[in-house]
């Protein structure tokens, strides 16, 4: 068994492209067709979950795609953003960024300190999209228990104050929701490895619900302050049928911080 | 290339090594997979909290000296979805725990498998043994 699992993990590590946890869905799948078939499956950390539904996506009264629900995954690799790169893309850091990655310590990771993971870093916890005519919201179960707001068909301010999630505006291109974000601070890390960014960071997220139970998420990252060229991460989110977001207040009892030691590294020590 | 989720990777690594991963920090930065512990004792307290649940165990050595160990679990949101309840382990329960000790050699560990006198088991992520 262990040998078989060891083989699985080797293959898994090699194939680890990343899925960022964004959220899940409590209500019955929109339209009710092709809902989970009742057989349990494992989704991320969660066992015995309903099999995600298939079938066509549902449109909202305004003609746009209904993205509502509780989703899991879809973000970039929490361990190492380079594992989520679109085939052919490269993560090419500027010299100062390369040097910084070599010196960062695990306990300095904002996420370990219960601070936001920014964009597009994933987590193992579900997330939810809520659509209103003027605003879309992404509600994160963790980490941290927070939210993003996307201003639909709006413009960025000329000089936004730098923030953890930046200033996001959204529009539809066919069946794809495109979210453009600027105004990030330079504090969050892209991953456990400590890949950095500057306030010049600009992200373009493309959310496409490919069927009722799945969503593809591509994020193009431009940061001329840290990287020689833009790159794109790819992920796939899965609908969690029958789930609600639960509370996750990371600041409550964070005993780990004083125990963390050593250089920034991935979850398995890589 | 097939994408694999952080959570799925976490589950695989946990099954192989017992190392907790994909939480809000690197498990490898906190625990040493080569420092395994196997202890039996009486639970003194349970903290059903984030970012991790904890339970504390009074462990008596051969000389009669009692040491209180702090065992870490996944977060309640993960545990609840995997069958745990906040009273799955309670103060006063006698349990045997296998786990992985913190790198600093303190009496702090990640709980891999918890075995009750009637034979039922819990672990870091699930309310039953992995793979069963």
């Amino acid at each position: 068994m262990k040998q078989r699992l060891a083989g699985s993990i080797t293959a898994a590590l090699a194939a680890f492209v990343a899925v960022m946890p964004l959220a899940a869905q409590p209500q019955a799948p929109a339209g009710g067709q092709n809902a989970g078939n009742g057989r349990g499956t494992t989704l991320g950390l969660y066992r015995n979950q309903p099999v995600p539904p298939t079938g066509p996506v549902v449109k909202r009264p305004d003609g746009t795609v209904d993205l509502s629900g509780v989703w899991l995954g879809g973000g970039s690799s929490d361990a190492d953003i380079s594992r989520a790169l679109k085939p052919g893309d490269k993560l090419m850091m500027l010299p100062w960024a390369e040097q910084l990655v070599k010196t960062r310590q695990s306990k300095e990771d904002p996420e370990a300190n219960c601070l936001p993971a920014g964009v597009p870093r994933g987590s193992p916890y579900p997330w939810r999209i809520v659509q209103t005519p003027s605003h879309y919201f992404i509600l994160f179960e963790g980490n941290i228990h927070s939210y993003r707001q996307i201003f639909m068909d709006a413009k960025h301010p000329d000089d936004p104050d730098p923030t953890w999630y930046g200033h996001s505006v959204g529009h539809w291109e066919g069946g794809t929701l495109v979210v453009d974000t600027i105004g990030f601070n330079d504090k969050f890390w892209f991953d456990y490895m400590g890949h950095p960014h500057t306030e010049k960071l600009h992200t373009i997220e493309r959310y496409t619900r490919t069927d009722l139970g799945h969503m593809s998420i591509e994020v193009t990252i431009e940061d001329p302050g840290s990287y020689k060229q833009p790159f794109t991460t790819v992920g796939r989110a899965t609908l969690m049928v029958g789930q609600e977001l639960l509370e996750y207040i990371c600041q409550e009892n964070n005993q780990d911080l004083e125990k963390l030691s050593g250089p920034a590294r991935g979850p398995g020590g890589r | 290339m097939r994408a694999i989720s952080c959570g799925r990777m976490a589950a695989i690594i946990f099954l192989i090594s017992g190392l907790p991963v994909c939480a809000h920090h690197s498990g490898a930065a906190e625990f040493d997979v080569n420092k395994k512990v196997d202890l039996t004792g009486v639970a003194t307290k349970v903290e059903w909290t984030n970012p991790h649940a904890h339970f504390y165990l009074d462990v008596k050595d051969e000389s009669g000296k009692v040491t209180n160990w702090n065992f870490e679990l996944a977060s309640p949101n993960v545990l609840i979805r995997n069958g745990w309840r906040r009273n799955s382990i309670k103060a006063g329960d006698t349990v045997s725990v296998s786990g992985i000790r913190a790198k600093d050699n303190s009496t702090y560990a990640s709980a891999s498998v918890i075995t009750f006198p009637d034979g039922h088991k819990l672990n870091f992520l699930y309310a039953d043994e992995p793979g069963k």
Side-chain angles (χ1 to χ4, degrees):
Chain A
M1 175 68 173
K2 278 209 165 185
Q3 281 184 334
R4 186 160 60 83
L5 283 171
S8 299
I9 192 171
T10 301
L13 286 168
F16 194 7
V17 173
V19 170
M20 157 172 161
L22 298 187
Q25 166 151 330
Q27 79 271 25
Q33 70 274 46
N34 292 327
N37 62 14
R39 287 178 295 140
T41 189
T42 296
L43 299 177
L45 294 175
Y46 311 103
R47 294 167 74 178
N48 301 317
Q49 298 298 309
V51 174
T54 58
V57 300
V58 172
K59 298 286 184 68
R60 304 170 72 231
D62 65 2
T64 58
V65 176
D66 184 356
L67 302 177
S68 63
V70 177
W71 297 88
L72 185 69
S76 69
S77 169
D78 199 17
D80 180 351
I81 193 171
S82 68
R83 294 178 184 163
L85 290 176
K86 191 172 187 174
D89 277 17
K90 292 181 179 175
L91 194 74
M92 299 177 70
M93 285 182 280
L94 295 176
W96 77 267
E98 277 193 80
Q99 190 57 36
L100 180 61
V101 168
K102 290 176 183 172
T103 59
R104 280 185 155 169
Q105 301 290 300
S106 277
K107 65 170 50 180
E108 298 167 352
D109 183 354
E111 181 163 336
N113 287 268
C114 298
L115 290 166
V119 179
R121 183 170 178 172
S123 90
Y125 310 117
W127 51 279
R128 176 191 287 280
I129 284 188
V130 177
Q131 294 165 279
T132 74
S134 58
H135 297 65
Y136 288 6
F137 299 94
I138 298 178
L139 309 179
F140 299 103
E141 181 171 291
N143 186 21
I144 61 173
H145 203 56
S146 186
Y147 66 92
R148 290 178 62 193
Q149 54 185 342
I150 299 160
F151 303 99
M152 295 303 296
D153 301 313
K155 292 182 178 177
H156 293 302
D158 289 337
D159 185 23
D161 286 332
T163 57
W164 291 88
Y165 293 120
H167 184 274
S168 299
V169 296
H171 68 277
W172 286 92
E173 293 181 4
T176 297
L177 170 66
V178 181
V179 179
D180 187 292
T181 306
I182 61 170
F184 290 104
N185 68 28
D186 61 0
K187 297 177 180 176
F188 61 88
W189 296 9
F190 281 146
D191 49 33
Y192 287 133
M193 306 292 290
H195 284 109
H197 66 278
T198 67
E199 291 182 1
K200 295 177 181 175
L201 175 63
H202 172 210
T203 62
I204 303 168
E205 300 157 84
R206 301 178 67 84
Y207 296 77
T208 306
R209 191 169 189 170
T210 52
D211 66 19
L212 206 53
H214 302 92
M215 190 182 328
S216 109
I217 301 174
E218 291 194 1
V219 185
T220 297
I221 294 166
E222 302 173 355
D223 178 13
S226 305
Y227 298 90
K228 295 175 183 173
Q229 61 187 43
F231 56 92
T232 297
T233 64
V234 295
R236 185 173 187 241
T238 304
L239 189 71
M240 291 188 83
V241 176
Q243 286 287 347
E244 295 283 2
L245 297 187
L246 299 175
E247 190 171 279
Y248 179 92
I249 307 299
C250 179
Q251 301 90 332
E252 181 181 22
N253 187 19
N254 188 9
Q255 299 186 36
D256 306 280
L257 202 55
E258 64 184 47
K259 301 289 183 186
L260 297 177
S261 65
R265 66 184 81 186
R270 300 172 306 282
Chain B
M1 192 155 60
R2 180 176 179 273
I4 182 168
S5 72
C6 175
R8 188 60 174 239
M9 177 61 69
I12 293 169
I13 293 177
F14 172 74
L15 288 171
I16 295 286
S17 67
L19 190 67
V21 291
C22 279
H24 68 119
H25 59 82
S26 166
E30 184 171 14
F31 301 102
D32 184 342
V33 71
N34 295 312
K35 293 178 181 172
K36 292 195 166 37
V37 295
D38 289 286
L39 300 166
T40 297
V42 178
T44 59
K45 183 171 65 170
V46 176
E47 293 173 339
W48 195 245
T49 56
N50 288 298
H52 290 278
H54 293 259
F55 66 94
Y56 298 78
L57 199 68
D58 268 351
V59 178
K60 188 182 293 187
D61 68 15
E62 292 176 352
S63 70
K65 180 186 173 188
V66 175
T67 302
N68 193 248
W69 280 75
N70 180 350
F71 282 98
E72 181 179 292
L73 300 164
S75 48
N77 52 341
V78 173
L79 295 169
I80 289 167
R81 291 193 177 99
N82 285 323
W84 270 78
R85 294 295 174 262
R86 66 182 186 277
N87 59 357
S88 291
I89 181 169
K90 305 181 295 295
D93 286 346
T94 297
V95 293
S96 296
V97 186
S98 63
I100 298 175
R101 194 170 190 174
K103 291 168 66 178
D104 66 3
N105 279 325
S106 60
T107 55
Y108 190 97
S110 173
S112 301
V113 179
I114 306 159
T115 305
F116 287 75
D118 66 1
H120 86 270
K121 298 175 188 291
L122 308 168
N123 70 42
F124 183 85
L125 289 173
Y126 310 118
D128 56 9
E129 279 191 281
K132 295 234 174 142

